[in-house]
Amino acid sequence: MTTTATLPGELRDFYEDPAVPVASGASRSIRQARLLAAALGPAGAGARTVLDIGCGDGTAAATAAPFLAGHRIVGVDWSQDALRRAHARLPYAVRGELTGGGLPLRTGCADAVLFSEVIEHLVDPDAALDEIRRVLRPGGHLMLSTPNLAAWYNRALLLAGVQPVFSEVSLRAIHGRPGKEVVGHLRLYTARALREFVTAAGFEVVRVLGAPFHGVPRPLRPLDRLACARPSLASILLLHARRT
């Protein structure tokens, strides 16, 4: 879930708690994997190295693996507890931190990076993208996903004076918004802000798509899927960018 070295002690303890969710919905993982598979092409043309940075328990990478057959997927995470679980799902999983000393990987070693629901947890997302750019080869792919601050229901909640979904004011409890789980979100992005941020970090944005959120109440899920047609309204933002 997180790979930053500059976390205060209370945040380190929070992310090492096995009760904190580290997996995202399968729908997002599948959409992201299909995008990456199309970008990389079949492994018959040469196996590529894909880093799943902030791999958590390895669920997302394991979901993506069938779409990336023949390519090498390496999980990277800061949390020792998450890595212990990831080793059961991934052939390669290493401990790494995006800031501080950086990842234990050579410059330009990766063809693609999966960065799934990680950036919203980071104290220093600028340094994180700098390090991702370092380990990617020129032209390498970044597949980033993050919750959308401007999701369709968040717009309605704000109009009603309710704290948006995905945003948090405490690590101890939920206050003022729907939901039951505290997951440690520190930063949230709209589609426009995410495009501008990634571009400023030295990437060329290829496209931004939408994905549904597995936590949406069942009666509202058809509407959530429809909103994916307009990424600026979708629950989850899926961004594909290339290193310049």
Side-chain angles (χ1 to χ4, degrees):
M1 174 178 290
T2 182
T3 55
T4 179
T6 57
L7 289 176
E10 63 270 22
L11 276 178
R12 283 182 173 270
D13 293 341
F14 176 84
Y15 287 126
E16 284 287 8
D17 183 353
V20 174
V22 295
S24 300
S27 179
R28 190 273 304 154
S29 297
I30 291 171
R31 288 181 185 219
Q32 198 170 35
R34 285 175 172 158
L35 278 175
L36 181 54
L40 291 179
R48 306 295 180 90
T49 297
V50 178
L51 303 179
D52 183 4
I53 298 179
C55 66
D57 63 4
T59 299
T63 301
F67 299 93
L68 301 171
H71 295 301
R72 184 186 305 107
I73 303 177
V74 180
V76 183
D77 206 283
W78 167 81
S79 169
Q80 294 282 25
D81 176 77
L83 284 175
R84 280 192 292 271
R85 289 180 277 168
H87 275 296
R89 296 184 172 97
L90 301 174
Y92 309 103
V94 299
R95 190 172 190 271
E97 302 181 355
L98 281 168
T99 55
L103 297 172
L105 302 165
R106 62 178 174 83
T107 298
C109 68
D111 298 286
V113 165
L114 284 170
F115 202 45
S116 306
E117 269 90 308
V118 177
I119 200 167
E120 63 271 16
H121 298 275
L122 299 181
V123 174
D124 189 352
D126 301 275
L129 284 194
D130 287 345
E131 183 64 359
I132 288 173
R133 191 172 186 277
R134 182 188 70 81
V135 299
L136 274 174
R137 64 168 175 79
H141 303 276
L142 169 63
M143 297 290 177
L144 184 156
S145 64
T146 191
N148 182 11
L149 175 60
W152 60 276
Y153 40 80
N154 279 345
R155 299 181 185 217
L157 290 172
L158 277 171
L159 284 174
V162 178
Q163 186 81 10
V165 175
F166 307 126
S167 66
E168 295 182 328
V169 300
S170 170
L171 292 178
R172 298 178 181 177
I174 296 297
H175 298 291
R177 72 159 173 84
K180 298 178 181 179
E181 293 181 328
V182 178
V183 292
H185 289 174
L186 304 179
R187 302 185 182 275
L188 289 173
Y189 300 81
T190 63
R192 177 184 296 181
L194 187 63
R195 277 181 174 272
E196 291 182 5
F197 175 62
V198 171
T199 299
F203 293 85
E204 178 187 359
V205 175
V206 177
R207 66 165 99 175
V208 177
L209 301 176
F213 174 48
H214 63 281
V216 169
R218 189 174 297 276
L220 297 177
R221 288 179 185 176
L223 184 57
D224 195 41
R225 289 192 292 271
L226 283 174
C228 293
R230 291 278 303 275
S232 62
L233 297 175
S235 287
I236 305 296
L237 300 171
L238 301 181
L239 178 140
H240 174 202
R242 300 193 71 172
R243 182 196 184 282
T244 57

